């Protein structure tokens, strides 16, 4: 694409209407959700969906999440063939919100959207900009994170432009995303509900509604087989994740990012030290994580060392992102 990317302001009704119009024409619009910025294209327009893969350089085997106003819209649009037991219970409690459900796909779901898989991933976003579009008559859209594939997810409009300017039609600027990490993904395709990706809604919160929920194989294997991890959420600067200060190798050419605690003594020898969140406030660390990684990545350090040893579901979700950012 040679057209410049339009920068729209989500607080202006005329810009929201413009975004809605662009989507209806099959254009690509990056927009804020409560998790990260998504690159939206209407789900029922396969040419637009194909352009999402192109703009991101995302491989076609990686399926997209479809954003809907609510469960009724998902049914009405033919996106789901039947709600598995338990899915409706989670929807009743956590939609709209940062929870994606993989359910048997309906007849209207194009193969491109779900990479030919038997399930489709659905989520109802809660961000006021996304809600205004969906409740203002927008049809469901696919929306992977609005970044180049494998790079750090965008939590501000500037991050979107840094990765995709000139490759997408518009970005609808709604300020920083409040949660800062991607949605929790739960699949209902194997009979027993399985968590495929950790996220803002943790295991205890899911288990309260769905006592049988368990971790999927990919989530369980991740810490055991780091060599097999897809590199994802990754800065260009090599990143090392530490779960104890003992493994830190201080170096004046490296930057140290400390999550959820005070700086360890070794911090004095690093060229740059950033502290994020506190032990009791993983939410603050999550909200700033990707923006901080982008800033540090732009500063020319030889290496980024990240110390993260918080205990709790949101800390686990943060460590999941860091583990993949550190993978070779
Ligand atoms: P994102 O890259 O943030 O858009 O998230 C997409 C992720 O959701 C994928 O990498 C999968 O883990 C999961 N997902 C999306 N669609 C499906 C699907 N049809 N079947 C299984 N998992 C899916
Ligand atoms: Mg992504």
């Amino acid at each position: 694409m040679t057209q410049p990317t339009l920068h729209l302001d989500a607080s202006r009704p005329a810009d929201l209407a413009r975004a809605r119009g662009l989507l209806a024409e099959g254009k690509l619009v990056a927009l804020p959700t409560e998790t990260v910025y998504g690159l939206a294209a209407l789900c029922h327009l396969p040419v637009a969906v194909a352009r999402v893969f192109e703009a991101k350089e995302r491989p076609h085997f990686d399926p997209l999440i479809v954003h809907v106003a609510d469960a009724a819209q998902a049914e009405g649009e033919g996106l789901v063939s039947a709600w598995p037991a338990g899915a409706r219970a989670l929807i009743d409690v956590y939609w709209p919100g940062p929870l994606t459900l993989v359910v048997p796909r309906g007849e209207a779901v194009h193969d491109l959207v779900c990479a030919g898989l038997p399930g489709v991933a659905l989520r109802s976003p809660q961000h006021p900009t996304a809600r205004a579009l969906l409740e203002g008559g927008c049809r469901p859209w696919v929306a992977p994170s609005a970044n180049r594939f494998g790079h750090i997810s965008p939590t501000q409009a500037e991050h979107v432009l840094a990765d995709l300017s000139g490759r997408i039609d518009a970005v609808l600027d709604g300020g920083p995303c409040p949660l800062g990490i991607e949605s929790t993904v739960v699949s209902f395709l194997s009979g027993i509900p399985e968590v495929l990706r950790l996220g803002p809604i943790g295991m205890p919160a899911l288990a309260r509604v769905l006592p049988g929920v368990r971790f999927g194989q990919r989530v369980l294997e991740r810490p055991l087989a780091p060599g097999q991890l897809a590199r994802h959420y990754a800065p260009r600067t090599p990143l090392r994740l530490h779960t104890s200060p003992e493994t830190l190798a201080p170096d004046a050419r490296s930057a140290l990012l400390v999550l959820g605690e005070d700086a360890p003594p070794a911090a004095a020898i690093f060229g740059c030290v950033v502290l994020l969140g506190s032990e009791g406030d993983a939410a603050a660390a999550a909200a700033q994580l990707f923006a901080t990684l982008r800033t540090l990545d732009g500063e020319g350090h030889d290496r980024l060392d990240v110390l993260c040893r918080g205990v709790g579901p949101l800390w686990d979700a943060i460590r999941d992102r860091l583990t993949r950012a550190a993978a070779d």
Side-chain angles (χ1 to χ4, degrees):
M1 195 175 76
T2 49
Q3 290 280 87
T5 297
L6 271 174
H7 194 148
L8 303 173
D9 178 349
S11 68
R12 299 186 58 225
D15 283 14
L16 272 180
R18 184 86 188 273
R20 195 161 42 234
L22 288 169
L23 285 169
E25 287 167 23
K27 301 286 203 284
L28 308 192
V29 179
L31 51 83
T33 78
E34 66 275 26
T35 57
V36 303
Y37 273 76
L39 179 57
L42 292 191
C43 176
H44 68 284
L45 302 177
V47 175
V49 173
R51 285 188 58 218
V52 168
F53 285 94
E54 240 172 78
K56 282 181 60 79
E57 298 176 34
R58 180 178 174 113
H60 287 92
F61 59 74
D62 200 1
L64 305 176
I65 295 173
V66 181
H67 291 61
V68 294
D70 49 29
Q73 190 189 38
E75 285 168 32
E77 290 274 355
L79 299 177
V80 54
S81 65
W83 296 108
R88 289 305 298 254
L90 282 183
I91 287 172
D92 287 345
V93 177
Y94 293 116
W95 275 17
L99 177 65
T100 297
L101 304 179
V102 180
V103 298
R105 65 194 267 198
E107 79 286 347
V109 179
H110 197 280
D111 267 337
L112 257 184
V113 170
C114 56
L117 295 166
V120 63
L122 300 176
R123 155 163 133 78
S124 178
Q126 128 199 98
H127 192 283
T129 300
R131 298 256 34 110
L133 290 170
L134 287 165
E135 284 161 16
C138 218
R139 293 185 65 183
W141 61 68
V142 298
S145 52
N147 54 307
R148 295 287 185 114
F149 183 71
H151 194 212
I152 303 166
S153 293
T155 55
Q156 299 172 20
E158 303 82 77
H159 302 162
V160 174
L161 291 169
D163 273 25
L164 299 177
S165 186
R167 302 174 70 90
I168 63 174
D169 299 288
V171 58
L172 185 53
D173 190 343
C177 300
L179 298 179
I181 59 169
E182 300 80 357
S183 60
T184 304
V185 180
V186 180
S187 171
F188 285 88
L189 286 201
S190 74
I192 298 169
E194 284 186 333
V195 174
L196 302 185
R197 177 170 75 189
L198 302 177
I201 303 201
M203 208 59 180
L206 294 171
R208 264 200 300 280
V209 180
L210 211 60
V213 68
R214 65 179 187 196
F215 289 114
Q217 207 49 37
R218 274 168 35 196
V219 172
L220 286 175
E221 277 170 3
R222 197 165 284 152
L224 299 176
Q228 295 179 327
L229 299 183
R231 185 169 161 82
H232 215 97
Y233 312 111
R236 287 165 184 114
T237 315
L239 184 149
R240 276 195 207 160
L241 174 60
H242 303 268
T243 51
S244 154
E246 270 134 51
T247 59
L248 289 170
D251 186 329
R253 287 161 305 178
S254 298
L256 175 64
L257 173 60
V258 181
L259 300 178
E261 61 181 293
D262 294 336
I269 305 161
F270 283 88
C272 160
V273 180
V274 176
L275 306 181
L276 214 53
S278 59
E279 194 185 344
D281 197 359
Q288 295 296 322
L289 177 69
F290 289 143
T292 305
L293 289 177
R294 276 185 183 258
T295 302
L296 288 169
D297 198 23
E299 290 176 349
H301 305 288
D302 281 4
R303 202 178 67 220
L304 306 178
D305 286 277
V306 184
L307 176 60
C308 179
R309 52 177 171 164
V311 176
L314 191 51
W315 287 116
D316 291 338
I318 290 171
R319 245 184 322 271
D320 163 79
R321 306 309 188 270
L322 291 167
T323 304
R324 290 200 267 167
D328 290 327

